Amino acid sequence: MTEATDTAQEIPRGPVGVTVLGATGTIGVNTLDVIARHPAIYRVVALSGNQQVERLAEQCLRFAPEFAVCADGDAAQRLAAQLRQAGSATQVLSGMAGLEEVASLPQVDQVMAAIVGAAGLYPALAAARAGKRVLLANKEALVMSGQVFIDEARRHNAELLPIDSEHNAIFQCLPVDFADGLEEVGVRRILLTASGGPFRDASLDELANVTPAQACAHPNWRMGRKISVDSATMMNKGLELIEACWLFDTTPDNIQVVIHPQSVIHSMVEYIDGSVLAQLGNPDMRTPIAHAMAWPQRMASGVGSLDLFDIARLDFAEPDMVRFPCLRLAYEAMRAGGTAPAILNAANEIAVQAFLDERLPFTAIPVVIEKTLEMTERHEAKNLDVIMVDDRIARETARRLVTEGVR
Ligand code: NDP
Ligand code: MG
């Protein structure tokens, strides 16, 4: 990644106002890298982080946003003190209210929703309700709230553009207008590619002894810790399956997951005439970020050319749902409907954190999720209140299962 040499004051400030939620994370940092390449087009209005105060302070000094938000109150105070000392004019806000505020400011046109996990739901929803272009990286938000989120975005004329590389690829392979459904535009099915993660070829015995450090070392992508573990269990693909159903108004039966270890094809769309369109590129999140920000135009992202001679071959395989039950659980939860995907997501967040804290073996992650799904009553997901109640109950159940030491 290139380092900026310009000071914030020297950077021209473009007309498109952007809020980057989760600016201190992997997606946030990549977003700011893209923005820095186009200072005449984009103007950073607000940045948010949680614990990484130093990094957020550096970003504020470089991009001079009007607002910076720390979800955590203590962190916000530390940030404000640092920025004051550095003579920055950035105003510091805190908490969920601060996140929702900067997602819906009138001077903001685009909101990068890149907070990890359920914490990102309300700020992303605030952006949708304010009719912004929502650059959706936070897949958990859509998994949890599904139809509610889609309806709110529609009602408020928000543009929902996928950042997740697979969904961005699918979006690129679809005609511009698919609002009347995939069938109407001749789509037979979606082929959702998956790298298979770092343990693609591991045996069940080997999986039982996986450590957090091993799980976070993804072969092709550099990502935050939670999504890295999700990739290793293949729950990431399960969440993406659900995300794709909502984004493209389709069902799990129209989506085939394809293991593709090279992560060069980011996903495909198959049409009824037998044509299969694919989007390819180096595995670098700056491509989907630049695509969604510039859409329907194109702009440089800093990502180099794909060297097909170097790649030489592309492999494909069927996913193994026995070694990776998380994918099966996601298919089942989406088919069950209602709050089942929210329960799945909540249990997964608890189980992944417990694994990262070394309180749960890797292979017990799907066990916690499956048992939580069995033990938590599912409801029709008619509004956010219902969803959040089931989310809370599922988290309590999953925590109890972790404490009881399920295997
Ligand atoms: P990271 O863990 O790298 O970053 C997460 C960001 O969210 C950080 O800015 C973090 O702040 C902030 N954050 C964490 N907890 C909270 C909270 N409770 N309240 C407010 N902010 C919080 O994750 P990634 O960037 O890898 O992923 C972000 C999202 O994008 C995830 O939903 C992921 O699934 C999705 N995604 C990521 C991809 C990738 O390649 N990384 C690809 C596709 C989707 P801080 O660090 O300051 O504590
Ligand atoms: Mg993805």
Side-chain angles (χ1 to χ4, degrees), residues 22-27 48-52 71 99 114-117 119 137-140 164 222-225 227 285:
T24 48
T26 315
I27 295 289
S48 92
N50 192 35
Q51 299 288 345
Q52 297 191 74
L99 293 170
I115 291 173
V116 61
N138 176 274
K139 61 193 87 187
E140 296 92 342
D164 214 338
R222 266 188 301 149
M223 307 180 286
R225 282 163 70 77
I227 183 177
M285 288 307 293

Side-chain angles (χ1 to χ4, degrees), residues 15-21 43 45-46 99-113 122-136 149-150 152-162 292-293 295:
V16 179
V18 186
T19 283
V20 184
L21 300 172
R43 177 169 54 96
V45 176
L99 293 170
E100 288 181 324
E101 185 178 341
V102 297
S104 46
L105 292 167
Q107 65 271 42
V108 169
D109 303 290
Q110 304 194 356
V111 176
M112 169 56 75
Y122 282 100
L125 204 54
R129 285 175 172 152
K132 307 300 184 193
R133 173 173 294 195
V134 184
L135 308 162
L136 190 72
F149 196 102
I150 296 292
E152 288 292 285
R154 261 196 214 127
R155 184 171 314 134
H156 298 280
N157 284 324
E159 285 178 313
L160 196 54
L161 293 185
M293 291 186 79
W295 186 82

Side-chain angles (χ1 to χ4, degrees), residues 210-261:
V210 157
T211 65
Q214 288 169 330
C216 289
H218 195 278
N220 306 340
W221 298 94
R222 266 188 301 149
M223 307 180 286
R225 282 163 70 77
K226 193 259 176 183
I227 183 177
S228 296
V229 177
D230 285 346
S231 296
T233 61
M234 287 203 71
M235 180 53 94
N236 184 48
K237 213 47 56 182
L239 299 177
E240 290 183 358
L241 167 86
I242 298 171
E243 186 186 11
C245 289
W246 293 118
L247 283 172
F248 306 114
D249 193 14
T250 190
T251 61
D253 299 322
N254 289 333
I255 302 177
Q256 168 73 62
V257 173
V258 179
I259 303 290
H260 165 48

Side-chain angles (χ1 to χ4, degrees), residues 120 278 340 389:
V389 168

